[in-house]
Amino acid sequence: MSGGRGTAEIRLRGVEKRFRTARGEEQVALAGVDLDVAGGDFVCLVGPSGCGKSTLVNLMAGFERPTAGRVAMDGAPVNGPDPDHILIFQDYGLYPWKTVLENVLFGLQARKVSPADARERAREALEMVGLEAAAGLHPHELSGGMKQRVAIARALAVEPSVLFMDEPFAALDAFTRLHLQEELVRIWEERRPTVVFVTHDLDEAIYLGQRVVLMAPGPGRIQRILPVGLPRPRERTRADFAGVRRELFEAFQLVHRDAAGEQEYSI
Ligand code: ADP
Ligand code: MG
């Protein structure tokens, strides 16, 4: 789907990010981060809150600059947001005064897409997330799960080569969340964008990711990268899934114990 736009391969080397806190102190949010994400990969970032997951995604998406080290996309330094790389947050970012269809169309209007093509692509994207029938509704008429689907449809309509998703399903009920996880995997298999997905739900990470990147705090860093290696469709109730879950929980508990020595963290 990257249509001559490169393979959307991300490379981080020696990445550090410092912030100045409100009290004027320097804080190291990330240090010494090396990571390679191949084009078409699906990587999940997990770790205790405050370990720098959002910061890492924002660096890759070009919303932040590293204070040291390099962040590159297809070999070129990331200098700012790219319209071909989409970031989806937990709060859907829909325009309340626009209909579902208009919200999805909005992302296409800034691009050189004819109005007829834009409508076609918007309809197609709404179909992918099962919202064709809701095209004429406004956000206040939708449930949280439907709003998040509109946000996903809006992202998909522009056929991004990279999807950055920062805890996109965190606010949803368990049922909706499972459903959207399935849809996301189906869409990823069909179009193969590079996906970097932040979650604090270890099961979600194992269900979705080709690899799970476990991060640790103080300073934020990569602790371990776990290849998931399970065939798809994945089944949470199967023994192979439970095996990966056990491995990830054990690794996570080590991080959590270390972190708890310094400060109380929650996931
Ligand atoms: P996570 O997403 O894993 O919860 P974040 O990336 O949001 O972690 O934050 C990592 C650390 O960096 C935290 O200690 C947070 O307070 C700090 N931080 C993040 N963004 C900023 C900012 N804009 N200014 C100051 N500190 C920040
Ligand atoms: Mg975060």
Side-chain angles (χ1 to χ4, degrees):
M1 66 180 289
S2 50
R5 294 170 294 178
T7 59
E9 173 188 283
I10 308 164
R11 167 173 288 210
L12 292 93
R13 286 293 177 273
V15 168
E16 180 205 82
K17 180 68 184 178
R18 291 170 185 267
F19 288 111
R20 197 167 284 284
T21 64
R23 285 182 300 175
E25 292 155 3
E26 282 248 306
Q27 189 188 5
V28 186
L30 288 172
V33 173
D34 296 328
L35 181 65
D36 286 296
V37 182
D41 202 353
F42 197 136
V43 168
C44 291
L45 306 181
V46 299
S49 62
C51 70
K53 302 179 296 294
S54 295
T55 303
L56 191 54
V57 164
N58 287 331
L59 286 166
M60 291 192 254
F63 291 107
E64 298 277 6
R65 297 285 189 92
T67 42
R70 298 191 311 272
V71 181
M73 179 75 66
D74 290 326
V78 172
N79 289 320
D82 182 321
D84 187 30
H85 307 151
I86 301 285
L87 181 61
I88 300 179
F89 305 95
Q90 185 178 322
D91 54 3
Y92 325 103
L94 303 179
Y95 295 107
W97 61 89
K98 288 181 186 283
T99 65
V100 164
L101 180 64
E102 286 162 356
N103 266 286
V104 176
L105 278 170
F106 183 79
L108 289 163
Q109 278 157 358
R111 294 170 169 80
K112 288 187 189 112
V113 181
S114 74
D117 275 357
R119 271 192 109 70
E120 171 71 29
R121 275 163 70 165
R123 291 252 172 227
E124 222 177 83
L126 283 173
E127 205 176 303
M128 287 192 98
V129 298
L131 278 185
E132 318 86 294
L137 300 181
H138 284 82
H140 71 88
E141 297 173 275
L142 309 176
S143 66
M146 288 166 87
K147 283 185 220 173
Q148 192 55 286
R149 280 191 216 178
V150 178
I152 292 171
R154 185 176 53 188
L156 292 174
V158 305
E159 301 191 359
S161 57
V162 187
L163 271 176
F164 296 108
M165 305 179 84
D166 192 354
E167 304 201 26
F169 305 152
L172 305 177
D173 64 87
F175 182 80
T176 307
R177 175 188 272 237
L178 294 186
H179 187 65
L180 285 185
Q181 288 170 2
E182 272 173 36
E183 273 179 23
L184 179 60
V185 167
R186 188 175 50 73
I187 289 162
W188 173 75
E189 287 180 321
E190 213 169 294
R191 295 187 163 188
R192 278 303 178 119
T194 303
V195 182
V196 179
F197 189 105
V198 176
T199 177
H200 54 247
D201 178 339
L202 302 187
D203 268 4
E204 182 167 75
I206 298 167
Y207 183 78
L208 294 174
Q210 297 292 90
R211 295 187 295 152
V212 177
V213 176
L214 175 62
M215 296 179 65
R221 61 193 184 275
I222 292 176
Q223 180 79 12
R224 185 154 168 215
I225 299 178
L226 193 86
V228 177
L230 298 173
R232 297 184 193 267
R234 294 176 179 167
E235 278 295 340
R236 291 171 181 78
T237 48
R238 270 204 319 247
D240 57 359
F241 198 99
V244 178
R245 182 191 285 130
R246 192 178 317 116
E247 199 179 342
L248 185 58
F249 266 87
E250 279 167 9
F252 188 84
Q253 272 166 355
L254 289 179
V255 168
H256 194 62
R257 214 171 294 143
D258 286 352
E262 299 161 29
Q263 195 181 324
E264 202 53 45
Y265 286 91
S266 62
I267 56 163

